[in-house]
């Protein structure tokens, strides 16, 4: 009998506490805006992690008339000292800034004379950084009412170094 009385006392105390609101006054509706839909990078470059896989790193948004050129500039600058502790780049040091032409769905990245051949990992870094910069700057067409948003086709990217004819740069693996 004592056990039952103790349980009833605890239950009654819990109900009393819940019904009293514990001293927190009610408030009205607080508007906080649209719900979060996921993180998107406003500007990023791709470096290599310890497993030689691509890793996107956010960069501050800097107004530029050519966002692709700005992203490539950031990529060529390499990882910051802090990022260098866990990331690296396959791009040769002191790689010159290329000439970049963006036209519709094609991007031409042309390096000047004296540029060494780029490894597949370096090309992958350039391709993914350029694709992200293009994707974030191209407006997405609005879907018809009730329809799913159309997928955006990635641009065709041509990367050339001296004495190499321009050709589409294959992406060895999808960009993360």
């Amino acid at each position: 009998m004592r056990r039952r009385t103790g349980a009833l006392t605890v239950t009654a105390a819990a109900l009393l506490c819940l019904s009293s609101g514990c001293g927190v006054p009610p408030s009205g509706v607080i508007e906080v805006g649209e719900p979060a839909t996921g993180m998107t990078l406003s500007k990023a470059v791709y470096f290599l992690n310890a497993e030689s896989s691509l890793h996107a790193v956010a960069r501050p948004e800097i107004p530029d008339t050519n966002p692709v050129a700005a992203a490539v500039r950031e990529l060529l600058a390499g990882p910051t000292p802090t990022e260098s502790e866990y990331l690296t780049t396959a791009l040769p040091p002191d790689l010159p800034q290329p000439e970049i032409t963006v036209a519709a769905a094609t991007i031409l990245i042309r390096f000047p004379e004296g540029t060494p051949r780029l490894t597949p990992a370096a090309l992958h870094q350039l391709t993914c950084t350029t694709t992200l910069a293009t994707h974030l700057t191209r407006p997405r067409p609005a879907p018809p009412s009730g329809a799913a948003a159309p997928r955006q086709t990635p641009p065709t990217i041509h990367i050339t170094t001296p004495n190499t004819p321009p050709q589409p740069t294959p992406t060895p693996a999808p960009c993360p």
Side-chain angles (χ1 to χ4, degrees):
M1 184 79 157
R2 227 172 203 221
R3 202 178 253 176
R4 184 172 234 190
T5 306
L8 286 174
T9 305
V10 170
T11 303
L15 287 172
L16 181 62
C17 184
L18 288 173
S19 66
S20 69
C22 299
V24 178
S27 67
V29 174
I30 300 171
E31 295 292 332
V32 293
E34 293 293 318
T37 58
M39 188 179 101
T40 58
L41 297 172
S42 60
K43 184 176 176 192
V45 294
Y46 284 92
F47 294 118
L48 302 171
N49 62 21
E51 293 81 35
S52 296
S53 298
L54 288 181
H55 180 82
V57 179
R59 289 291 185 253
E61 190 63 43
I62 299 169
D64 196 303
T65 56
N66 187 339
V68 173
V72 170
R73 240 187 338 272
E74 291 282 337
L75 177 64
L76 296 181
T80 65
T82 303
E83 293 165 351
S84 292
E85 294 175 15
Y86 60 96
L87 295 173
T88 187
T89 182
L91 295 164
D94 302 322
L95 194 63
Q97 179 70 28
E99 176 187 328
I100 298 174
T101 308
V102 179
T106 302
I107 299 171
L108 177 61
I109 299 174
R110 187 177 304 125
F111 284 94
E113 287 293 327
T115 301
R117 283 192 92 102
L118 301 176
T119 65
L123 292 171
H124 200 195
Q125 281 183 261
L126 277 164
T127 301
C128 289
T129 297
T130 302
T131 300
L132 181 62
T134 304
H135 173 73
L136 294 173
T137 57
R138 287 171 43 198
R140 295 190 99 170
S145 179
R151 293 187 66 147
Q152 201 168 21
T153 306
T156 300
I157 301 170
H158 300 275
I159 301 173
T160 63
T161 55
N163 304 319
T164 304
Q167 54 191 331
T169 302
T171 302
C175 298

